[in-house]
Amino acid sequence: MRKNSWLQKFLYFLMAILGAYIIYKSGCLLLLENRLQKVSEDGSIQRSLEDSAMRTWASAYTAAVEGKQSGNTWSFWMSQIAPVFSYAVDQAETGDETEEDQMTELQTEAETDTEGTAELQAEAATETETMAHVSDMTEEQAENAGTEKSNETSEGGEETQIGSAETSADEIPVQETMVGTIFSQALPQLLDFTYLLSNYYNVDADTSADAELLDVEKLLSADLSIGQDLSVPQILIYHTHSQEAFADSVEGEVSDTIVGMGEILADQLRAYGYNVIHDTGVYDLVDGVLDRSAAYDYAREAVTDILEEYPSIEVVIDLHRDGVSGGKEDFVTEIDGESVSKIMFFNGLSRDENGDEISWLPNAYLSENLAFSLQLQILANSEYPGFARKIYLKEERYNLHLRARSLLIEAGTQLNTVEEEQRAMEPLANLIRQVLEP
């Protein structure tokens, strides 16, 4: 009987503890909603929950959130509780954000309606005054007035570029309208990420790209225009690998190398009204011996110095010649009845095979780089079918972080002739001009 008495007491003790725990947990659940609402109003819901949990359960909470095992007795309980915290936080914050967004949207709509009414009234008044004024003018005066208005529009050109989405159709240059039409026609298919990836990109095995990175609508809406200005340097062309030559290049003849092609491209862009600097520096020879192991480092130093000297430069092009295997027929096309070497736009993503950013290779201009190559690719496919190979995506950065409009172009291969390569520079320059023109 004595043993049974002690056993009964022990069982009663366990039941009391379990009952107290159940009451405690029930009270917590009843108070949780009010507690979350109060903390949410203070704008610190996530921090409060996590701070409280960290003070109480420390490593167990951290392990549960990260999906790991902490090795202490709280791990099991925290693995159950952490998702509840996260769900409750999401619901509370989503509710607050939804109400705030709705209020903001209603206010914005009201302001827009008011502004729209005021603008319509102002336009009507202006139009009435203009008609009355013109009716009292001679034909010559009216023509002069039209000229002055045209000049005012030209002087506001820079502002128009920034707000191109709000520009009326009459103010958009013909070329921009055509480019916009090409993009609009291509967009529906490109919104299918599988189609986009298989038809526009080759992704190297050492990197990864997802739909968020290759957001087509964002990339095609990017305004990369700079206009033409011969008064200051605007475009820089250089060659990380200056010794790249072609199938029939004459040894020692610079004009037969990729550097010679860079000069042709520069002249084409100059003819379009751009101020172009062509850097012919050699970065892949060390003591007269071909050594490309540090070429990108040497090129980066030189290009950085040039950009510091000429801060007006907005476009940086690293022109290469690709080294490939296979038959020449895969790397040549026909334009206007002539044999032309193909080109390939190349992007370094600063991302590993898992899609994680490489911290020591930051590129604040990655989105602009991707927009530049995709816009050029779509135009090339439309105007010169077969001229551009798929855009190649690779892991590292390749000095594309130096400017927003940075391009690495593989122009031709070792299988192409010098003449085929020379012919490729004209359509390439035309594509670049179309993207850069306002």
Side-chain angles (χ1 to χ4, degrees):
M1 292 295 297
R2 187 174 182 179
K3 289 184 179 180
N4 290 340
S5 176
W6 278 107
L7 179 60
Q8 288 176 350
K9 290 180 180 180
F10 180 69
L11 291 175
Y12 291 153
F13 177 71
L14 288 179
M15 292 173 64
I17 293 176
L18 180 60
Y21 178 76
I22 292 173
I23 293 172
Y24 168 73
K25 294 300 293 184
S26 298
C28 288
L29 290 173
L30 290 173
L31 294 174
L32 180 60
E33 182 176 356
N34 291 334
R35 173 60 180 163
L36 287 175
Q37 182 64 33
K38 181 178 183 304
V39 179
S40 177
E41 291 171 357
D42 294 338
S44 57
I45 185 167
Q46 182 71 38
R47 178 168 49 80
S48 294
L49 286 172
E50 290 189 354
D51 286 353
S52 175
M54 288 298 288
R55 285 194 299 270
T56 308
W57 296 291
S59 61
Y61 177 78
T62 303
V65 171
E66 295 180 355
K68 301 176 181 178
Q69 298 296 324
S70 70
N72 65 41
T73 56
W74 287 104
S75 296
F76 172 77
W77 295 108
M78 283 312 305
S79 66
Q80 308 303 314
I81 294 171
V84 177
F85 274 133
S86 297
Y87 176 78
V89 170
D90 289 342
Q91 293 301 309
E93 291 187 340
T94 301
D96 291 343
E97 290 173 359
T98 301
E99 292 178 3
E100 184 178 346
D101 290 344
Q102 290 175 346
M103 290 299 296
T104 302
E105 184 176 349
L106 289 174
Q107 292 174 356
T108 303
E109 289 178 358
E111 292 173 359
T112 302
D113 291 342
T114 303
E115 292 174 359
T117 302
E119 287 178 3
L120 289 174
Q121 292 173 346
E123 287 178 4
T126 302
E127 191 171 322
T128 301
E129 292 175 2
T130 302
M131 292 300 295
H133 180 60
V134 171
S135 64
D136 296 332
M137 296 167 61
T138 63
E139 290 184 7
E140 182 178 355
Q141 290 173 324
E143 185 177 351
N144 291 338
T147 303
E148 289 175 3
K149 185 172 182 61
S150 176
N151 290 338
E152 289 174 3
T153 302
S154 298
E155 290 173 2
E158 183 176 351
E159 184 176 346
T160 302
Q161 290 177 27
I162 297 173
S164 58
E166 301 175 0
T167 305
S168 68
D170 293 338
E171 295 172 332
I172 299 176
V174 175
Q175 187 60 55
E176 183 179 6
T177 302
M178 187 188 74
V179 170
T181 300
I182 292 173
F183 290 168
S184 298
Q185 291 173 345
L187 184 59
Q189 276 189 316
L190 299 181
L191 290 175
D192 180 344
F193 183 67
T194 302
Y195 175 87
L196 172 73
L197 210 59
S198 61
N199 289 276
Y200 281 78
Y201 292 98
N202 274 325
V203 184
D204 194 90
D206 62 8
T207 193
S208 177
D210 56 24
E212 182 179 359
L213 183 66
L214 302 178
D215 184 340
V216 175
E217 291 182 286
K218 177 181 177 182
L219 299 181
L220 293 188
S221 64
D223 182 5
L224 302 174
S225 61
I226 64 171
Q228 295 93 340
D229 185 357
L230 293 176
S231 66
V232 292
Q234 297 179 283
I235 301 174
L236 170 65
I237 299 174
Y238 74 102
H239 312 273
T240 299
H241 298 156
S242 64
Q243 304 305 299
E244 291 172 334
F246 303 94
D248 58 348
S249 295
V250 177
E251 187 174 355
E253 187 66 47
V254 175
S255 62
D256 284 357
T257 67
I258 194 64
V259 175
M261 304 308 126
E263 187 58 30
I264 295 175
L265 178 61
D267 284 341
Q268 291 282 341
L269 292 171
R270 289 168 186 144
Y272 284 130
Y274 294 99
N275 189 326
V276 183
I277 292 179
H278 181 206
D279 172 41
T280 59
V282 176
Y283 309 114
D284 53 351
L285 284 181
V286 177
D287 297 327
V289 179
L290 184 65
D291 182 358
R292 292 177 177 164
S293 60
Y296 280 97
D297 294 330
Y298 297 142
R300 181 175 61 254
E301 294 174 5
V303 171
T304 300
D305 289 342
I306 294 173
L307 296 179
E308 289 178 355
E309 184 177 358
Y310 302 107
S312 59
I313 292 175
E314 297 184 74
V315 180
V316 178
I317 300 172
D318 186 6
L319 190 64
H320 289 248
R321 180 231 68 196
D322 203 3
V324 299
S325 58
K328 178 182 174 180
E329 64 276 6
D330 295 327
F331 306 101
V332 67
T333 189
E334 188 174 289
I335 298 178
D336 296 332
E338 295 186 311
S339 180
V340 178
S341 63
K342 293 185 179 183
I343 62 169
M344 182 177 74
F345 303 113
F346 184 108
N347 284 109
L349 299 184
S350 298
R351 279 168 166 73
D352 62 21
E353 66 275 9
N354 299 317
D356 297 326
E357 294 185 22
I358 301 176
S359 59
W360 61 91
L361 293 174
N363 183 359
Y365 300 126
L366 178 58
S367 181
E368 290 88 343
N369 297 164
L370 290 168
F372 205 179
S373 61
L374 181 59
Q375 290 185 19
L376 288 166
Q377 185 78 16
I378 293 173
L379 287 176
N381 291 352
S382 174
E383 298 190 17
Y384 309 108
F387 177 53
R389 298 155 58 194
K390 294 179 185 179
I391 301 169
Y392 200 88
L393 303 180
K394 201 162 169 59
E395 176 186 21
E396 297 185 8
R397 188 173 58 183
Y398 302 97
N399 292 336
L400 295 173
H401 65 296
L402 299 176
R403 279 292 185 271
R405 301 168 186 81
S406 289
L407 276 176
L408 195 160
I409 306 174
E410 297 282 2
T413 73
Q414 83 279 10
L415 304 175
N416 294 111
T417 66
V418 171
E419 190 173 7
E420 289 169 343
E421 180 68 10
Q422 290 170 339
R423 292 186 188 127
M425 294 301 103
E426 182 177 348
L428 176 57
N430 184 37
L431 294 173
I432 295 172
R433 172 188 66 86
Q434 292 185 66
V435 172
L436 296 182
E437 272 190 348

